[in-house]
Amino acid sequence: MFSKIWKTVKFLIIIAIVIICLPHSILPRQTSGFEQKDLEYYLKLNDNETRLIEVKDSEESLKLKLLQLEVINNSRKKFRAEPVKLDILSSRVANMISREAAENSFLGHWNLAGEKPYQRYAFAGGYDHISENAFGEWSSDNYIISGSKISSLMRSGHGTFMDEKAPYDGHKKNIIEKSHNYVGIGYCLKGNQFRYYEEFVDRYFVFENIPADVKVDETFRITVKPESEKFLYYLIVYREDYPQPIAAGQISKKGSYDDFSNEQYFKMAAWELASYRNGSSYKIPLRFSVEGLYYIQIFYDKKEVSEPSYVNTRGKTPGSGIVIRATK
């Protein structure tokens, strides 16, 4: 009897030694997909962000988004695009449209107020350039809400984007665009509706003195400071009328959105911009003569152009998404 027990004990000891000595890469690992220091970093950013506080993420929601961030960056890695960081403000903008879309059973890039993605981001206080992906799913029965279900649905939405084939692959191109360096992630699971939005951000400038509202014919200045070894290359201002409310059913029919308006109001080339540079900052004077919304896109380059020459924004990245209201 003792001999049989001893043989069993020896067998278990041998198994334990083998498991301990196996390389960690061979063993299955339970991982959250991100490190605790990452969560602590984003929790701090989340607590410090005071804008759109009504759609602030909980700690559990941030964990789910950090897991989804890894999914997004894995997709980018396959196409040799650098990883993006999670952006808190654009995540709240994405939360806001996700909630509105789920609660009103629509899917699209406009909200009920008729605002496009860059307008919503700007009205929340953002100045960078953003590009939006939108996904929706619904069921005949209410979803059972859980973290695992939300993660599964977000992965499914992102997978749908990545499965796109040219020439209908706009969402996929947005995900793997190499100029993006941040992303906002938003979702809402409510009743039988799920919505998921990705807001990719191009952040290369520091902005100062950007007014939300100006008076018609009032001259003002905006201050733009590019990252080191970057120079302003081109500035385009688009004018558009104020957004008008849209019925939920119409939003779903509108499809993709244009990252500009049909009215190009003003433009400034590299050598003109160079004349407003003082050190590493540009103080650019502007004046709007007609009421409306003015959408400002600013492009950058790695070398400064100080003399008139041929310039072309094709293949260049806009680093701004400023929207300013002009009123009488």
Side-chain angles (χ1 to χ4, degrees):
M1 181 69 176
F2 176 79
S3 176
K4 288 182 179 181
I5 293 173
W6 175 240
K7 286 181 180 180
T8 302
V9 171
K10 285 198 296 182
F11 176 76
L12 293 174
I13 291 173
I14 291 170
I15 293 297
I17 292 172
V18 169
I19 291 174
I20 292 171
C21 293
L22 275 174
H24 291 297
S25 60
I26 296 177
L27 296 173
R29 293 183 297 168
Q30 295 296 323
T31 175
S32 64
F34 56 88
E35 296 182 11
Q36 181 64 27
K37 64 179 181 180
D38 296 326
L39 177 61
E40 292 172 355
Y41 170 75
Y42 283 110
L43 282 171
K44 185 175 181 179
L45 289 181
N46 197 36
D47 286 339
N48 290 340
E49 178 57 75
T50 58
R51 294 168 290 187
L52 295 185
I53 200 73
E54 66 275 15
V55 285
K56 177 182 178 181
D57 283 307
S58 66
E59 180 173 338
E60 183 60 29
S61 180
L62 271 182
K63 289 178 181 178
L64 296 177
K65 291 187 178 185
L66 289 175
L67 289 172
Q68 185 65 9
L69 180 66
E70 185 174 289
V71 172
I72 291 170
N73 281 330
N74 283 339
S75 294
R76 289 176 60 82
K77 185 177 181 181
K78 291 176 183 176
F79 290 86
R80 299 182 180 179
E82 291 295 318
V84 291
K85 299 177 182 179
L86 185 67
D87 182 61
I88 299 300
L89 178 61
S90 57
S91 289
R92 293 186 185 178
V93 172
N95 285 345
M96 186 167 56
I97 185 63
S98 297
R99 178 189 294 180
E100 187 173 355
E103 290 178 346
N104 294 277
S105 301
F106 70 82
L107 175 64
H109 295 291
W110 285 258
N111 62 6
L112 293 174
E115 298 165 350
K116 291 192 281 188
Y118 61 81
Q119 294 170 342
R120 297 194 304 271
Y121 180 63
F123 294 161
Y127 302 129
D128 310 297
H129 183 261
I130 67 163
S131 306
E132 181 178 270
N133 287 345
F135 171 81
E137 183 176 304
W138 43 92
S139 171
S140 56
D141 298 318
N142 288 346
Y143 289 104
I144 297 175
I145 299 177
S146 68
S148 60
K149 183 61 178 177
I150 291 169
S151 281
S152 174
L153 289 168
M154 285 197 291
R155 289 195 301 271
S156 175
H158 182 81
T160 299
F161 299 147
M162 292 304 297
D163 286 341
E164 292 176 342
K165 305 296 182 185
Y168 307 107
D169 58 345
H171 299 97
K172 179 179 179 180
K173 286 180 177 177
N174 191 21
I175 292 167
I176 63 177
E177 169 57 50
K178 292 183 179 180
S179 66
H180 299 329
N181 48 14
Y182 289 85
V183 66
I185 300 172
Y187 68 83
C188 182
L189 181 60
K190 191 166 188 178
N192 69 337
Q193 300 285 327
F194 174 74
R195 297 294 182 274
Y196 169 67
Y197 281 74
E198 297 172 343
E199 311 286 350
F200 286 94
V201 183
D202 301 305
R203 179 169 295 152
Y204 295 96
F205 303 143
V206 174
F207 299 95
E208 296 177 4
N209 304 319
I210 309 296
D213 300 273
V214 297
K215 294 294 184 182
V216 167
D217 290 328
E218 171 190 9
T219 299
F220 63 98
R221 293 178 183 271
I222 62 172
T223 301
V224 184
K225 183 177 181 180
E227 290 181 345
S228 61
E229 300 182 357
K230 287 184 174 64
F231 299 91
L232 300 194
Y233 181 78
Y234 208 75
L235 179 148
I236 305 175
V237 181
Y238 298 96
R239 197 205 77 88
E240 51 196 323
D241 294 331
Y242 296 117
Q244 298 298 316
I246 305 175
Q250 292 300 312
I251 294 174
S252 300
K253 297 177 182 178
K254 288 178 71 68
S256 60
Y257 70 99
D258 292 325
D259 189 35
F260 52 84
S261 75
N262 293 327
E263 185 181 339
Q264 189 178 114
Y265 177 80
F266 177 75
K267 55 187 178 181
M268 190 179 293
W271 57 90
E272 297 173 277
L273 291 165
S275 68
Y276 297 114
R277 182 171 68 83
N278 183 8
S280 60
S281 295
Y282 296 74
K283 297 184 183 297
I284 305 167
L286 294 170
R287 182 172 64 89
F288 304 142
S289 60
V290 182
E291 282 191 286
L293 291 181
Y294 290 82
Y295 178 39
I296 305 172
Q297 290 188 351
I298 304 173
F299 297 79
Y300 65 86
D301 197 14
K302 292 183 179 179
K303 56 183 180 179
E304 186 172 39
V305 179
S306 56
E307 298 292 334
S309 61
Y310 175 75
V311 293
N312 190 335
T313 59
R314 180 173 295 178
K316 297 199 178 295
T317 301
S320 74
I322 299 167
V323 177
I324 299 174
R325 301 179 185 88
T327 58
K328 290 184 178 179

